[in-house]
Amino acid sequence: MERITPILLLLSGLCFGQSSDKYQVRTVAFYNVENLFDTKNDTLIFDDDRTPEGAYRWDASRFQQKIERITGVISAIGKEVTKNAPDIVGLCELENREVIQAMVSHPNLKDKNYGIVHFDSPDERGIDVALLYKKDVFIPDTFKKHRLLLFDEEGFINYTRDQLVVSGLLDGQRLFFMVNHWPSRSGGEARSRPNRIKAAELNKRILDSIRRFEPDARIISMGDFNDDPRDVSFKKVLKTKGKVQQLDSTSLFNPMEKLYKKGVGSLAYRDKWNLFDQFYMTANLVLDTKGKYHFWKAGVYAPKYLKNPSGRYKGYPFRTYVGTTYQGGYADHFPVYMYLIRKAVPVVSERRR
């Protein structure tokens, strides 16, 4: 098992004046892993195409390659700064706990000592969200799934992913993490928009409920929202703000908005980049910095090996499938990450007598 300690960084850029301070850093990541199914046919969900006999010819060798590639990516996120794999990882497009267990048991991640928080969602395709956490770093104390109720034009339930909420202690500091995979844009952005507005409304109810009992709760919501930072769900429903100077104590801050304005994306569709994979957080994670972990910066993890190497889609995410044609890549989304940082507490040793 790897030794888990928050790396100490010497960061003069975060300080006023000429002095430099040491900081402790933790990485939070999110990754849509693109249809990580096992190879067995589950008669309760629509996974028939993701079997050896199905349209995708999804067999054990392809599954194992997918696990190796995805876990390799996760192990590298944030490593340039922290020298470690992420401390908290949100995931979506997973079939069940078994595929998550295959991930954390793989040699790429086994020594990271990840715990799993996962519930089965009612999604028709059987895909779920989950949270990984380093057991030496984060101690969960509550976890709950919240059902998103959607109805089609005939009044029947349109089953989708639950929203996952996990609270606990990160190095002794209480934090809440929400993991999302909001309804897709199938049928067109405008036609499907009401479903994502309802997902945002559920997020807001969860946030309000937490803050009703813990007014100073520090909350990070992450996920594949299938919306960009400037869309209605964020700007009108959640009322997120993209600039620190706009924040007050009740605000929600979205650091991805600044990246989106610069043209940064986590996936591409029809020659257009979108930034569906995002974090947003309560303002106290930005404004309240004294002695506590707080937001430092966020980004899209897109090294060269995660990009399509050639052809019309050169530079796009190098995905596992295009249609039903096997590409052998990673996923159709780039992962995203953010750093939490706090000033290191000086260690005072007793003078020998």
Side-chain angles (χ1 to χ4, degrees):
M1 185 191 309
E2 72 168 3
R3 185 180 179 185
I4 309 295
T5 55
I7 190 169
L8 298 184
L9 296 183
L10 197 64
L11 295 174
S12 58
L14 294 180
C15 310
F16 296 102
Q18 299 301 314
S19 63
S20 296
D21 292 323
K22 290 183 178 180
Y23 286 80
Q24 297 174 324
V25 184
R26 293 296 186 190
T27 307
V28 181
F30 176 81
Y31 199 5
N32 178 331
V33 295
E34 189 197 355
N35 294 314
L36 182 52
F37 284 77
D38 63 24
T39 60
K40 298 175 291 186
N41 182 19
D42 185 336
T43 57
L44 299 178
I45 59 175
F46 297 123
D47 69 343
D48 303 54
D49 287 342
R50 306 279 175 176
T51 60
E53 297 78 26
Y56 292 88
R57 296 293 186 262
W58 186 242
D59 58 21
S61 64
R62 291 181 176 183
F63 173 76
Q64 291 300 331
Q65 178 170 310
K66 175 93 169 180
I67 291 291
E68 180 169 356
R69 293 205 150 188
I70 292 297
T71 56
V73 174
I74 291 172
S75 70
I77 299 171
K79 199 169 186 178
E80 182 179 352
V81 169
T82 67
K83 312 304 179 189
N84 282 318
D87 302 286
I88 302 290
V89 185
L91 299 167
C92 77
E93 291 206 10
L94 307 142
E95 183 180 11
N96 50 42
R97 191 180 183 90
E98 284 70 26
V99 301
I100 308 170
Q101 191 61 52
M103 292 172 60
V104 301
S105 301
H106 189 276
N108 286 333
L109 296 182
K110 189 174 183 179
D111 67 340
K112 315 305 179 191
N113 197 26
Y114 280 122
I116 301 169
V117 180
H118 164 264
F119 294 98
D120 285 316
S121 286
D123 181 86
E124 293 176 346
R125 293 200 300 129
I127 54 174
D128 306 329
V129 299
L131 188 83
L132 305 183
Y133 61 92
K134 285 182 176 175
K135 297 177 184 177
D136 303 58
V137 173
F138 182 72
I139 302 173
D141 53 28
T142 65
F143 33 88
K144 185 178 181 180
K145 62 178 180 178
H146 294 261
R147 184 65 43 86
L148 175 60
L149 286 176
L150 302 175
F151 297 90
D152 63 21
E153 295 174 352
E154 298 177 353
F156 293 104
I157 295 177
N158 183 7
Y159 292 101
T160 188
R161 282 76 62 178
D162 293 332
Q163 296 179 6
L164 175 64
V165 181
V166 182
S167 68
L169 300 178
L170 180 72
D171 293 327
Q173 297 186 9
R174 186 162 172 78
L175 285 171
F176 289 79
F177 296 99
M178 299 171 61
V179 187
N180 301 267
H181 186 191
W182 287 4
S184 76
R185 295 191 169 197
S186 177
E189 189 279 326
R191 183 176 180 182
S192 60
R193 187 185 304 152
N195 290 337
R196 288 184 299 283
I197 288 175
K198 289 179 181 177
E201 290 170 344
L202 176 57
N203 252 217
K204 190 175 187 306
R205 288 197 299 272
I206 295 169
L207 288 161
D208 291 345
S209 177
I210 293 171
R211 294 202 282 193
R212 190 175 302 117
F213 291 98
E214 293 189 40
D216 297 324
R218 299 157 71 80
I219 308 168
I220 297 171
S221 188
M222 69 183 93
D224 173 3
F225 296 95
N226 274 302
D227 265 343
D228 289 313
R230 297 289 302 174
D231 283 327
V232 171
S233 56
F234 283 97
K235 301 307 291 183
K236 299 296 184 181
V237 180
L238 292 167
K239 295 182 171 62
T240 55
K241 298 179 179 179
K243 296 180 179 179
V244 173
Q245 55 267 37
Q246 297 173 327
L247 300 178
D248 58 36
S249 61
T250 63
S251 300
L252 297 173
F253 175 61
N254 187 345
M256 315 306 282
E257 188 172 328
K258 182 178 180 180
L259 296 175
Y260 181 67
K261 288 179 179 178
K262 292 181 178 179
V264 176
S266 59
L267 73 158
Y269 179 67
R270 293 182 177 175
D271 298 323
K272 179 182 182 295
W273 282 95
N274 293 102
L275 189 50
F276 291 170
D277 305 274
Q278 302 180 55
F279 302 97
Y280 74 84
M281 67 201 72
T282 49
N284 52 9
L285 276 156
V286 183
L287 303 177
D288 186 5
T289 64
K290 190 174 182 180
K292 296 180 179 179
Y293 278 117
H294 56 278
F295 173 76
W296 176 23
K297 61 181 179 179
V300 176
Y301 184 69
K304 185 177 180 180
Y305 72 88
L306 284 184
K307 298 177 181 178
N308 202 312
S310 60
R312 177 184 173 186
Y313 302 109
K314 182 178 180 180
Y316 288 18
F318 185 25
R319 55 195 298 174
T320 308
Y321 283 90
V322 175
T324 57
T325 302
Y326 183 66
Q327 301 292 300
Y330 296 82
D332 55 355
H333 291 237
F334 295 136
V336 292
Y337 64 90
M338 58 173 280
Y339 294 118
L340 295 173
I341 193 167
R342 68 175 177 180
K343 188 180 290 188
V345 178
V347 178
V348 180
S349 58
E350 290 188 18
R351 179 187 295 178
R352 290 187 179 182
R353 296 184 179 181

